[in-house]
Amino acid sequence: MTQSAQIGDGTRAVRAGLPEALKNEPTLPGPVFAAHFHLPGDVSGPYTYGRDDNPTWTHLERAIGELEAPGQEDVDTLVFASGMAAISAVLFSQLKAGDVVVLPSDGYQVFPLVREQLTAFGIEVRTAPTGGDAQLDVLDGAKLLWIETPSNPGLDVCDVRRLAEAAHARGALVAVDNTLATPLGQRPLELGADFSVASGTKQLTGHGDILLGYVTCRDAELTASVRGWRKIVGAIPGPMEAWLAHRSLATLELRAERQNANALALALALRDRDDIEGLRYPGLPDDPSHKIAAQQMRRFGCVVSFTLSTRARAERFMEALTLVDDATSFGGVRSTAERRRRWGGDDVSEGFIRFSAGAEDPDDLVADVLRALDEAAV
């Protein structure tokens, strides 16, 4: 076992992906802005053209790989312009007409659009909810199983080990969307997945100021196919975004500890209120997903969900909040929440709230939410 596999998450996060220390050089070199590189004679070396690779990407990709699979030298990470670019790269590099893919029926709200495009390409799409490992019933003949756990926004959890074993036994690949958990909460490759895919826009970078995605994979052939898709489509991150993401990783463990603790504190404060329904947080001992989550997750994330009785009440609640921004996305250092039904893509009720706990003082955050709930009841 390497030293990287033995050190703690905080140590790993602050040092991940840094180049060799050289006298008079910065610890984290600045972003490299280059469309082309000096390339006399035969084509060789790692950097030839800006759509193919960039030194700033390299540092970030190594850093994410160290977080997703500590101590594993055979793991490669590819960064993308957004989480959806990363998701699309896996789906469209691995599937062709006549193949079968299993997608979550309760996953990210863009998946209905993805399903339409896959179907238009002649790919059969099957869906199953995340909870209860329902994917087992539709795996036969599948080429790829796509898992989102915890699911967004419902926060259901499935058993990645069990599903990966079942999928592989049937000849299917397995991809896990690790956005909500982050590598500090869950390591899909260790659980048997072939791909760990995520939006780096959210808690991974944590400041709500960049779009980024990534794919981590242990199989060199699979990685090459995803890399080829990135080259063809050109869904690459800018060097400044990649540098900002790498800089932000240094505080990931600090942010995650506070945000996840805040999420648990909020969930505990809401648990006994009679004016909300359907409270979900995998870290609650009585949450339907807690048992499986505790077996495969090291942290339970910063997102809490619950439902208020009506749309009007949910909107009053959102308006009454003072420390929480009404905004989409999640994982930022500033708490956000939203009435998810306003987008129309999620199968949730009109009063459903997705709440992302930030890094505020927990007492202040909980007090603000409880006060807003009381005001919304009037």
Side-chain angles (χ1 to χ4, degrees), residues 101-130:
V101 62
V102 177
L103 300 179
S105 60
D106 54 349
Y108 183 45
Q109 56 118 353
V110 177
F111 265 111
L113 298 177
V114 173
R115 179 177 183 174
E116 289 180 12
Q117 191 61 66
L118 290 168
T119 302
F121 286 165
I123 298 163
E124 180 185 342
V125 179
R126 302 173 187 165
T127 61
T130 299

Side-chain angles (χ1 to χ4, degrees), residues 84 121 147 189 194 269 289 310:
M84 279 309 304
F121 286 165
I147 296 171
L189 299 187
D194 300 289
S289 293
T310 65

Side-chain angles (χ1 to χ4, degrees), residues 9-90:
D9 286 341
T11 303
R12 185 177 298 109
V14 300
R15 305 206 63 82
L18 296 180
E20 180 183 356
L22 298 175
K23 185 177 181 179
N24 305 127
E25 292 294 323
T27 54
L28 177 60
V32 175
F33 298 98
H36 58 264
F37 300 83
H38 288 296
L39 196 64
D42 294 336
V43 176
S44 63
Y47 306 111
T48 58
Y49 184 63
R51 191 180 70 251
D52 299 334
D53 240 322
N54 178 291
T56 310
W57 301 353
T58 299
H59 296 316
L60 175 60
E61 289 171 342
R62 289 173 179 168
I64 293 173
E66 289 176 26
L67 297 178
E68 284 278 355
Q72 302 299 310
E73 301 296 333
D74 58 344
V75 168
D76 287 308
T77 296
L78 300 171
V79 289
F80 290 82
S82 68
M84 279 309 304
I87 289 171
S88 299
V90 173

Side-chain angles (χ1 to χ4, degrees), residues 42-358:
D42 294 336
V43 176
S44 63
Y47 306 111
T48 58
Y49 184 63
R51 191 180 70 251
D52 299 334
D53 240 322
N54 178 291
T56 310
W57 301 353
T58 299
H59 296 316
L60 175 60
E61 289 171 342
R62 289 173 179 168
I64 293 173
E66 289 176 26
L67 297 178
E68 284 278 355
Q72 302 299 310
E73 301 296 333
D74 58 344
V75 168
D76 287 308
T77 296
L78 300 171
V79 289
F80 290 82
S82 68
M84 279 309 304
I87 289 171
S88 299
V90 173
L91 291 171
F92 293 107
S93 68
Q94 303 307 310
L95 299 169
K96 63 182 186 302
D99 286 340
V100 176
V101 62
V102 177
L103 300 179
S105 60
D106 54 349
Y108 183 45
Q109 56 118 353
V110 177
F111 265 111
L113 298 177
V114 173
R115 179 177 183 174
E116 289 180 12
Q117 191 61 66
L118 290 168
T119 302
F121 286 165
I123 298 163
E124 180 185 342
V125 179
R126 302 173 187 165
T127 61
T130 299
D133 298 341
Q135 301 92 334
L136 291 170
D137 295 331
V138 291
L139 272 180
D140 286 349
K143 173 70 178 299
L144 175 66
L145 167 63
W146 192 278
I147 296 171
E148 184 178 288
T149 181
S151 61
N152 171 29
L155 302 181
D156 272 323
V157 171
C158 56
D159 189 331
V160 177
R161 289 188 184 90
R162 183 185 185 203
L163 290 173
E165 290 176 0
H168 291 155
R170 293 165 170 81
L173 298 170
V174 178
V176 175
D177 187 327
N178 205 35
T179 301
L180 200 146
T182 81
L184 268 60
Q186 183 171 262
R187 295 174 183 156
L189 299 187
E190 293 182 1
L191 298 173
D194 300 289
F195 302 97
S196 181
V197 188
S199 167
T201 306
K202 299 176 176 66
Q203 192 175 27
L204 188 81
T205 57
H207 292 81
D209 53 10
I210 58 175
L211 294 176
L212 193 88
Y214 70 85
V215 177
T216 301
C217 182
R218 183 175 282 113
D219 184 284
E221 185 175 344
L222 294 177
T223 300
S225 63
V226 176
R227 185 188 301 274
W229 183 261
R230 183 179 70 175
K231 178 182 177 73
I232 293 169
V233 176
I236 58 173
M240 191 66 191
E241 286 79 5
W243 184 85
L244 285 170
H246 196 171
R247 182 206 61 175
S248 298
L249 288 183
T251 61
L252 174 58
E253 192 266 349
L254 295 171
R255 290 184 281 108
E257 284 295 295
R258 170 59 75 89
Q259 291 175 259
N260 294 5
N262 279 355
L264 178 59
L266 178 61
L268 289 170
L270 296 177
R271 185 165 54 175
D272 296 326
R273 288 187 66 106
D274 58 9
D275 56 349
I276 69 169
E277 299 175 354
L279 174 67
R280 297 299 303 271
Y281 181 64
L284 284 174
D286 55 352
D287 187 271
S289 293
H290 180 73
K291 182 178 180 181
I292 296 176
Q295 293 172 357
Q296 65 190 23
M297 299 182 72
R298 297 156 55 243
R299 292 174 175 85
F300 298 109
C302 63
V303 179
V304 177
S305 68
F306 55 91
T307 301
L308 299 178
S309 57
T310 65
R311 171 177 175 170
R313 191 168 190 176
E315 290 176 344
R316 290 198 302 271
F317 166 70
M318 293 302 306
E319 291 172 0
L321 292 166
T322 60
L323 296 180
V324 182
D325 296 331
D326 190 340
T328 196
S329 197
F330 56 84
V333 291
R334 288 171 289 277
S335 290
T336 60
E338 68 173 333
R339 191 182 65 82
R340 278 301 288 178
R341 186 63 181 173
R342 66 183 180 175
W343 293 96
D346 295 310
D347 185 18
V348 295
S349 67
E350 291 287 358
F352 181 93
I353 301 292
R354 185 182 69 185
F355 193 104
S356 174

